[in-house]
Amino acid sequence: MSALCEIRELEVAYRGNSVPALTNIDLDIHAGERLAIIGESGSGKSTLARTIARLLPAGARVRGEMRWSLGQAPLPGRDMGFVFQDPAASLNPVLTVGEQVAEGARLHLGLTRRTAYERALDMLERVRIPDPAKVLKAFPHQLSGGQRQRVAIAAALAAGPGILIADEATSALDMIVQAEIVSLLDELVREAGMTLIFITHDIALASGFADRVAIFRDGGLVEAGPTGAILTSPKDVYTRALLASHRDLSTPPLISEAAS
Amino acid sequence: MRRIRNLMKTPEGMAGFGILATLILVALFAPVLSPGDPLRIAGDPLLAPFVDPAFPLGTDRLGRDVLAGIIHGTRTSLAVGIAAAIAAIAIGLCVGLAAGFAGGLVEEALMRVIDAFQIVPSFLLALAFVSVIGASVPVVVLAIALGAWADPARLTRAQVLSIRERDYVAAARVIGMHPVEIAWKEILPNALPPVLALSAIIVAAAILTEAALSFLGLGDPNIVTWGSMIAEGRNVLRSSPSLSIFPGIALVVTVIGVYLLSEGFGKTLAGSEA
Amino acid sequence: MLLDIANLSKRFSSGGRDVAALNDVSLTLPPGETLGLVGASGSGKSTLARILLRLTSADAGSIRFEGKDWLALSGAELRRRRAKMQMVFQDVLGAFNPRATVASVLGDPLRIHDIVPKVERPREIATLLERVGLPASYASRSIREVSGGQRQRIAIARAIATRPSLIVLDEAVSALDVSIRGKILELLVELQQERGIACLFVSHDLAVLRAVSHRIAVMEAGRLVEIASARQVIENPQSSAARALIAAVPRLVTGMPERPHHDV
């Protein structure tokens, strides 16, 4: 796989903050891969996503290089879609779902109003929203959290971008909806041969479908590599600690069962 | 103290603070800066400004010192403006808290009263009130407050309704805190900041209303005010425009100072929450 | 039985539609046991917790707590008895008055319920802080100055301050980082064993409930669809809701990524 983007010695600091949010990051993003960026709060994982998507707030200082293989950086919205943690905040409450999904297609694909709506309907079907024709006319507050996130994904993909960045896109959802959204993202990205950058705090969630993982901590890259290799033989102590603190249904309980 | 230091970091806050501090000093030291009654006849009538060093801003038709009038007028403007704003916010807080906490019929009734006061133009209300009861400083203060308490009342109620649903209020209920203590300690202090931010607008409006009332001859006749000075100068506006211009400038500078200060506060508050 | 909930129902009207948030829910909790309450969002588990804490009212049904009719209590009597049932919230930021200090957060319940004489309060606050693994010097800090994980420790200290017999935990570890989550769960289990406190642990994450619960109750659309020992629910789920929740728990996949596990 060729490198879609080579990040070299990246350093990002927010305005009024002397301590950088990210330091000395060297990371390649491969075309068509599913890359999981994993870290706890304060690790800098969201800052990295925002740097790649050029969504940093005004006054943020960026040093280092981001070399895109296409020569120029992808245009957010057209070449790169973004899905946030909180769909309630990323969707406009006064526009219908249809208007928001169609907007990207109209703006970047130059579609007419009518064809953009047809595309929006098609997108809603692809994110498997039940009764898409009805949802097209609905407002975000009329939908459940999971459906809103599906709409946000449809809007992010409407212009047919080659890269999709999902920043904790499932953390605000319950487990069942989270599993559905993750498998949906996985499938959509596979179908379209997109590059997926999946930011999460949950290493197990990422292990289920990512090709490569990059572990972040305190603004630095701990280690990066193929998912299987990192999970079976982690080199860094922190990665090992992160894996050890994972808890699923086969983890022995903390209580003695006899008490019941 | 930290707030004030933060405030000084914004240019608006610094300018507003500077202007208002100067005005407050002028008001406090008015008898020192300009001893004697500002309404007394001090020299020849209609002296032009910047001519006689004894009367730097000239004299009016009766020979009263314009500078003395402006210096002493600062006291009235600031005192009436601030007192009216305090009264308006105090009334607004009480009514808003009562509406927010009581709920039900009491809330409905209070909200309709608030509506009534918001519908009537506040200046008209003040005008009618002063005309009926008679002009004196306390009446003017009350008249202005009467037209200005509805906004803080509405805002306070909205704040109470929103904060009442926060987890920390639920947490206070869970530990068995008395409702009165919850209102006093958990809700009120957190509901206050946006209401207090409104106070700058109320102070500025009150200063302008007071000037307008005085201009119409409805101020306290025994006290010099900028509004009455402008009204006084109006009779000789063509020959001596400076008589109206100087108190006008004083008024504009004061209101701008208040707005700048509130802008600065707004910025520091936004900054501290970000 | 410490807690006996019978036929509890609650309806909400939202957007003109009448929605059953709780539909005829009955369950019991003996002293010292942890009951995990699991369900997808909108299943009614948080509504149940809020009714239990008397933060919202029920439409029908009864709750007996420590042998008394809990829903009949009001006013000063309710406030006094609240000492026995405490809560830990999900939002580590929102659960504290932003103006509070650590000392005032812990001092309030001690004062309200007169747990210790006034002169001994600072020492009791120090003891509580140390019990939840924080230095006693934290008492003088503003609640804004402590991190999320530390705040949840303070929330737990607040909950045990009144010596309750039941603590309701509403998604108490969901907002925390994975590495902190484990330590908080360990602390909760330790406190329970030491003081015999019963817990109602509400979560959408079965893996968390598996770690701390003796029994697990599964909710779906306002109904209680399954209740059994934790092992039984996880190894042999009876309801489709339980099976879906089990399938949704992410597992560490250490081989090459194959078809994901979550195609339910």
Side-chain angles (χ1 to χ4, degrees):
Chain A
M1 266 186 272
S2 60
L4 176 71
C5 178
E6 294 174 2
I7 298 170
R8 292 291 175 270
E9 286 170 35
L10 182 73
E11 180 174 315
V12 181
Y14 290 106
R15 182 163 65 179
N17 227 330
S18 53
V19 183
L22 275 180
T23 38
N24 205 18
I25 305 298
D26 290 311
L27 182 67
D28 287 356
I29 301 167
H30 300 156
E33 75 168 341
R34 282 155 299 160
L35 172 66
I37 310 283
I38 294 160
E40 297 190 301
S41 48
S43 62
K45 61 186 191 299
S46 281
T47 302
L48 181 70
R50 275 154 204 280
T51 311
I52 296 169
R54 286 189 276 157
L55 287 171
L56 286 172
R61 188 169 44 79
V62 182
R63 282 200 203 132
E65 276 183 279
M66 279 175 69
R67 288 193 293 265
W68 293 90
S69 63
L70 307 159
Q72 65 185 43
L75 185 69
R78 188 190 64 191
D79 308 322
M80 185 154 55
F82 206 98
V83 184
F84 297 89
Q85 173 172 358
D86 183 6
S90 61
L91 294 173
N92 187 334
V94 298
L95 294 182
T96 63
V97 165
E99 283 169 311
Q100 304 192 46
V101 178
E103 191 193 351
R106 229 170 65 203
L107 201 67
H108 297 295
L109 303 180
L111 298 181
T112 62
R113 210 180 143 72
R114 167 172 289 190
T115 48
Y117 262 90
E118 277 163 14
R119 167 122 183 125
L121 188 66
D122 179 47
M123 288 311 305
L124 290 184
E125 270 166 20
R126 279 178 53 195
V127 296
R128 272 182 274 147
I129 282 188
D131 202 355
K134 194 175 152 203
V135 170
L136 207 59
K137 296 190 192 81
F139 289 95
H141 72 266
Q142 293 167 314
L143 307 174
S144 70
Q147 285 196 330
R148 275 201 288 258
Q149 199 58 292
R150 284 171 194 267
V151 169
I153 292 169
L157 297 182
I163 307 164
L164 181 66
I165 302 175
D167 185 5
E168 294 276 13
T170 62
S171 326
L173 307 169
D174 72 47
M175 284 281 165
I176 293 179
V177 182
Q178 163 170 293
E180 287 168 6
I181 295 285
V182 164
S183 75
L184 173 71
L185 278 175
D186 186 41
E187 200 179 296
L188 289 172
V189 166
R190 252 175 225 274
E191 265 173 26
M194 269 187 286
T195 309
L196 175 67
I197 302 172
F198 188 83
I199 289 101
T200 182
H201 65 275
D202 191 337
I203 196 166
L205 187 65
S207 74
F209 73 102
D211 301 312
R212 285 198 315 140
V213 293
I215 316 276
F216 279 70
R217 185 195 193 184
D218 296 339
L221 175 65
V222 174
E223 61 182 314
T227 310
I230 298 273
L231 263 67
T232 45
S233 51
K235 290 191 183 64
D236 196 273
V237 204
Y238 178 69
T239 313
R240 257 174 264 156
L242 207 58
L243 287 168
S245 62
H246 168 71
R247 183 166 274 293
D248 62 26
L249 296 177
S250 54
T251 317
L254 295 168
I255 49 155
S256 52
E257 308 256 358
S260 61
Chain B
M1 259 3 260
R2 201 172 49 99
R3 277 247 164 103
I4 295 190
R5 226 180 305 129
N6 281 342
L7 180 68
M8 301 305 275
K9 280 187 200 146
T10 66
E12 295 93 339
M14 201 151 74
F17 187 81
I19 292 171
L20 284 183
T22 313
L23 287 170
I24 288 169
L25 286 177
V26 168
L28 285 176
F29 293 103
V32 182
L33 293 169
S34 156
D37 184 359
L39 288 172
R40 75 175 193 279
I41 294 164
D44 296 332
L46 293 176
L47 272 178
F50 315 123
V51 176
D52 187 339
F55 306 107
L57 299 182
T59 57
D60 70 358
R61 281 198 305 168
L62 297 174
R64 293 179 292 204
D65 185 354
V66 172
L67 181 62
I70 287 181
I71 287 173
H72 285 265
T74 313
R75 293 191 131 184
T76 326
S77 278
L78 287 183
V80 171
I82 292 168
I86 289 173
I89 290 193
I91 301 172
L93 270 178
C94 291
V95 176
L97 285 175
F101 280 111
L105 214 59
V106 178
E107 183 183 12
E108 273 301 307
L110 287 174
M111 288 316 289
R112 295 299 82 78
V113 175
I114 293 174
D115 287 345
F117 273 88
Q118 278 192 316
I119 289 164
V120 181
S122 56
F123 184 66
L124 218 59
L125 204 66
L127 205 63
F129 192 76
V130 176
S131 317
V132 172
I133 301 195
S136 70
V137 171
V139 172
V140 170
V141 166
L142 202 61
I144 296 171
L146 219 50
W149 66 272
D151 283 339
R154 200 172 275 279
L155 186 61
T156 306
R157 169 180 165 270
Q159 281 286 314
V160 170
L161 291 186
S162 124
I163 292 173
R164 224 169 44 169
E165 300 303 318
R166 305 269 166 93
D167 273 355
Y168 61 81
V169 174
R173 287 171 69 190
V174 166
I175 61 164
M177 198 181 273
H178 193 276
V180 173
E181 193 186 344
I182 293 179
W184 187 249
K185 268 180 56 185
E186 307 289 319
I187 299 181
L188 186 61
N190 294 301
L192 271 182
V195 180
L196 292 184
L198 205 62
S199 64
I201 295 164
I202 296 177
V203 169
I207 290 171
L208 290 173
T209 310
E210 185 277 330
L213 285 172
S214 303
F215 180 82
L216 294 175
L218 288 169
D220 192 327
N222 304 313
I223 296 175
V224 62
T225 70
W226 294 338
S228 64
M229 289 173 75
I230 296 172
E232 175 65 31
R234 192 180 49 140
N235 297 313
V236 287
L237 197 57
R238 280 164 194 272
S239 52
S240 312
S242 65
L243 290 185
S244 300
I245 290 174
F246 287 124
I249 290 174
L251 201 55
V252 168
V253 168
T254 310
V255 172
I256 288 178
V258 173
Y259 273 124
L260 285 175
L261 191 70
S262 83
E263 192 78 6
F265 263 124
K267 273 197 180 174
T268 51
L269 281 181
S272 69
E273 273 166 26
Chain C
M1 241 354 109
L2 176 71
L3 178 72
D4 189 343
I5 298 175
N7 312 105
L8 207 61
S9 291
K10 169 86 177 170
R11 304 186 78 81
F12 283 121
S13 60
S14 105
R17 279 181 310 151
D18 206 25
V19 187
L22 276 188
N23 196 342
D24 199 23
V25 171
S26 302
L27 56 85
T28 58
L29 183 58
E33 185 189 282
T34 295
L35 176 64
L37 190 59
V38 72
S41 54
S43 61
K45 57 190 194 303
S46 285
T47 306
L48 180 60
R50 292 184 73 83
I51 291 176
L52 199 50
L53 267 305
R54 295 290 307 268
L55 293 170
T56 185
S57 64
D59 293 342
S62 68
I63 297 175
R64 291 191 77 77
F65 175 59
E66 292 189 326
K68 291 220 175 67
D69 185 350
W70 178 245
L71 295 182
L73 295 174
S74 67
E77 174 68 6
L78 172 63
R79 287 198 296 278
R80 195 175 63 76
R81 313 246 328 145
R82 276 183 183 281
K84 292 292 165 193
M85 194 195 290
Q86 287 296 301
M87 180 165 187
V88 177
F89 294 81
Q90 168 175 16
D91 182 359
V92 288
L93 237 159
F96 299 99
N97 186 336
R99 286 154 192 278
T101 62
V102 174
S104 75
V105 165
L106 299 179
D108 280 343
L110 296 177
R111 168 178 56 83
I112 290 164
H113 297 285
D114 207 11
I115 303 291
V116 292
K118 192 172 178 185
V119 286
E120 286 172 28
R121 240 177 256 156
R123 198 168 359 128
E124 180 73 9
I125 290 172
T127 313
L128 282 168
L129 282 173
E130 276 160 8
R131 185 61 203 87
V132 296
L134 292 174
S137 61
Y138 265 50
S140 59
R141 293 200 182 186
S142 157
I143 202 77
R144 293 174 185 225
E145 294 168 342
V146 297
S147 72
Q150 291 169 339
R151 266 184 221 178
Q152 208 57 318
R153 288 178 187 272
I154 293 165
I156 292 167
R158 168 166 72 182
I160 60 170
T162 57
R163 323 224 160 126
S165 52
L166 171 64
I167 299 180
V168 177
L169 301 117
D170 188 4
E171 301 280 8
V173 297
S174 310
L176 303 176
D177 275 329
V178 194
S179 53
I180 297 167
R181 197 179 281 187
K183 298 209 174 69
I184 296 284
L185 290 176
E186 280 164 23
L187 172 66
L188 284 168
V189 168
E190 239 176 73
L191 283 170
Q192 172 171 53
Q193 280 162 359
E194 173 187 306
R195 313 191 170 199
I197 306 172
C199 291
L200 182 70
F201 205 123
V202 179
S203 180
H204 65 270
D205 187 346
L206 260 181
V208 164
L209 294 185
R210 172 72 182 129
V212 296
S213 308
H214 300 103
R215 286 188 303 150
I216 291 178
V218 185
M219 289 193 69
E220 185 182 30
R223 288 179 177 278
L224 191 71
V225 292
E226 184 166 355
I227 181 164
S229 77
R231 179 194 294 267
Q232 222 171 327
V233 168
I234 280 155
E235 287 173 5
N236 188 16
Q238 299 300 309
S239 61
S240 60
R243 281 191 289 272
L245 285 161
I246 289 168
V249 175
R251 292 156 178 78
L252 273 176
V253 181
T254 41
M256 282 305 288
E258 296 157 30
R259 276 312 299 159
H261 55 271
H262 34 246
D263 36 356
V264 190

